[in-house]
Each structure stands twice: as structure tokens, then as C-alpha cells.
Amino acid sequence: MKADTVDLLILAGTFEARQLAHAVFKASPNLAAVVSYAGIVSDLPDLPLPSRIGGFGGVEGLADYLRKKDVRLVVDATHPYAAQMSRNAAIACEQTGTALIRLERASWLPSEEDNWTGVSSMDAACDQLEPQSRVFLAVGRKDLQPFLKRDDLFALARMIEPPDYALPSGWHLELARPAQSVEAELDLLQRHRITRLVCKNSGGTRAFAKLEAARLLKLPVTMVERPKLPSTTTASAVEELLEMISAQLMTS
Ligand code: NAP
């Protein structure tokens, strides 16, 4: 075996990826596992496993990495909307004969008190906004562009790191991760007199408080549907993933 082989490559970028890294290390401290980040945010979490940062260079670059490091299993624990990375992982794993498991969080479902409209893209979300809306764009910095063409809007745009282009002067840029408390989200929505929320169906618990706040204020929500991803083996939770990883890598 080569000294720098990698048994497990975790494609990270989610809270679950972080949880998984800790769980893998606890279950098997000697497993050669690497956590990979796109490098989009600068404050990466402390992890017990080694990490690498930055794109691989498309399918070809990833396939090359998988071959060079003799990777046995790739876990795609990227965000449900990180479609490019998930597609690249599926193709590169197929090409190199590497096992792949994707973490697929369940989507959020509306309750009877919710007023959600599903749309298939950010462009469709933008076209659907009522004139003069005061909209909370909880979509991240990569997906704001379509909304810039609407000069009648006020937008509260929340993201972790600022975009590399200027936002319209009347907009409010909120540099923050999603708030974990409904009270904080209620305060934000009320302070900016928001009339509609636009967001992704990320699933999980970390970004749901805004939807509870919208429900309490009876605000309409535009829910941009998830991108379609290649079919592969999936797990819906970290515990299930860990069992699957154990079965493949920790028994021999
Ligand atoms: P994306 O559009 O699917 O990926 C764009 C490119 O970024 C990929 O082709 C790849 O570059 C690189 N990349 C993405 N994830 C990577 C990883 N874990 N390790 C190494 N390279 C990676 O993804 P994105 O929407 O930009 O998201 C980037 C990261 O932010 C992901 O890890 C994702 O989980 C996280 N994130 C995304 C969202 C979202 O709404 N999109 C929300 C929260 C967190 P190469 O082609 O050069 O390999």
C-alpha cells in the first residue's frame, strides 16, 4: 500500500459532513480519511481528520485524485444544491470504479399553515415576485444574480461571505449563517418589513427557523426546488452513513 493512500474521501460543505468526520474518527481513528472543502467560506471547522481545500479540476481532476490516492469510498456530503460537485463525483466514481454514497437529507414539507409555492429555478422565483416586494433572499451568494434585474425590489440578502460584485444600493446585505432561533428570524423579517421569503429546500434543522418565522407571520414563501442529481447509493442521515462506511471500510 502507498503511504499517501486515502480510504475514504468525504466531500464536505454541510453540517452533516462535519458530524460525519467526527463520527468516523471516533469509530476508526486509524482510517485514512480526508475531508474535502470547496474553499468558498474561510472559517472552516476544526476537524479531527486531515482536510484538503479547493476544487479538484472537474471530473478529470477528481478521477485523477481518486486513482492517485487509491480512494476506496467517496461520501458526497455536499449541500443538496451543490449539483456540479455531486454530478462530478458520480461520473468520476463510475470512471474509476470507486464506491460512492451520497448523503441525501429529506426535503422540507409544508404544513397546512404554510403558503409555499414551488418553482424550478432562481429565474422562475424572480419572475414570480410581486411588484415592489420586500423580499428575503435566503439563497446564498451564488444565486443572487437573477434578482439583480428587478429594480423595483427591496431585498434582504443573507450569505456567509460577501459577493464579488456590488449589490443594488437599496438592498440590505446580511453577512451571517442562518439563525438557529425562530425569534432571531422573526426579528429580522419584521425589522426589514419583509413580504416574501425566497429559499432553497435544503432540509435538515440548521436553516429551518426562517420558515417557522415566515409561518408565524403568514408570509408567502417561494421554494426553489432541488436540482436533479444522478442516481446512486444514498443515506438519509449520518448514523446510516456511518454504518455503511463501517460495512465497507472498517471490517477488514
Ligand atoms: P457546486 O456548484 O456543485 O460546485 C462547484 C465546484 O466547486 C465544483 O465543481 C468543485 O470544483 C468545487 N467543489 C464543490 N464542493 C467541493 C468539495 N466539497 N471539495 C472540493 N471541491 C468542491 O457547489 P457549490 O454550490 O459551489 O457549493 C460549494 C460548497 O458549498 C459545497 O461543498 C457545498 O456543500 C457547500 N454549500 C453549498 C450550498 C448551496 O446552496 N449551493 C449551500 C451550503 C453549502 P472542481 O470542479 O474544480 O472540482
Side-chain angles (χ1 to χ4, degrees):
M1 200 204 289
K2 284 188 283 174
D4 63 346
T5 55
V6 171
D7 290 326
L8 172 66
L9 175 67
I10 301 174
L11 301 173
T14 55
F15 182 62
E16 288 84 353
R18 200 186 319 171
Q19 289 181 313
L20 181 66
H22 284 280
V24 164
F25 181 75
K26 195 170 166 204
S28 184
N30 295 323
L31 186 75
V34 167
V35 184
S36 174
Y37 283 94
I40 288 184
V41 296
S42 42
D43 62 333
L44 294 177
D46 279 338
L47 293 178
L49 298 177
S51 57
R52 64 164 300 288
I53 298 170
F56 293 92
V59 171
E60 208 179 306
L62 178 58
D64 198 38
Y65 180 95
L66 298 178
R67 283 193 200 96
K68 276 193 183 137
K69 302 282 182 184
D70 281 340
V71 176
R72 294 167 64 197
L73 173 63
V74 175
V75 167
D76 175 3
T78 58
H79 193 269
Y81 289 72
Q84 189 61 55
M85 188 69 249
S86 292
R87 287 177 189 136
N88 290 358
I91 300 170
C93 285
E94 168 97 39
Q95 283 179 359
T96 57
T98 312
L100 171 67
I101 306 172
R102 187 170 64 233
L103 176 68
E104 223 161 68
R105 295 176 190 156
S107 296
W108 293 318
L109 294 171
S111 75
E112 281 183 1
E113 300 141 85
D114 289 317
N115 175 10
W116 296 4
T117 305
V119 294
S120 60
S121 67
M122 289 294 162
D123 282 304
C126 177
D127 293 345
Q128 195 216 48
L129 294 175
E130 301 85 358
Q132 317 297 330
S133 299
R134 295 183 66 83
V135 60
F136 178 16
L137 299 177
V139 297
R141 81 179 141 157
K142 274 181 68 176
D143 289 303
L144 283 179
Q145 294 279 358
F147 300 93
L148 299 176
K149 65 181 181 227
R150 289 282 301 263
D151 58 10
D152 61 318
L153 301 177
F154 163 81
L156 161 64
R158 181 164 67 194
M159 62 204 75
I160 301 168
E161 310 239 336
D164 51 13
Y165 51 87
L167 294 182
S169 55
W171 286 25
H172 179 84
L173 173 63
E174 180 86 358
L175 288 179
R177 290 195 152 79
Q180 298 301 298
S181 88
V182 180
E183 291 71 28
E185 296 293 48
L186 272 173
D187 176 60
L188 190 68
L189 292 171
Q190 287 177 313
R191 216 162 358 106
H192 292 283
R193 294 179 287 116
I194 296 301
T195 57
R196 176 176 284 276
L197 166 64
V198 179
C199 67
K200 300 172 178 174
N201 197 331
S202 301
T205 55
R206 309 277 303 167
F208 193 70
K210 61 179 179 282
L211 285 158
E212 285 189 68
R215 181 185 300 156
L216 290 170
L217 296 174
K218 301 195 189 314
L219 288 184
V221 174
T222 302
M223 189 61 82
V224 181
E225 286 153 11
R226 290 182 174 192
K228 197 161 165 36
L229 300 178
S231 60
T232 190
T233 307
T234 60
S236 57
V238 171
E239 301 72 39
E240 190 189 353
L241 256 180
L242 191 64
E243 278 174 26
M244 293 162 89
I245 294 168
S246 298
Q248 294 213 27
L249 298 181
M250 297 180 195
T251 47
S252 52

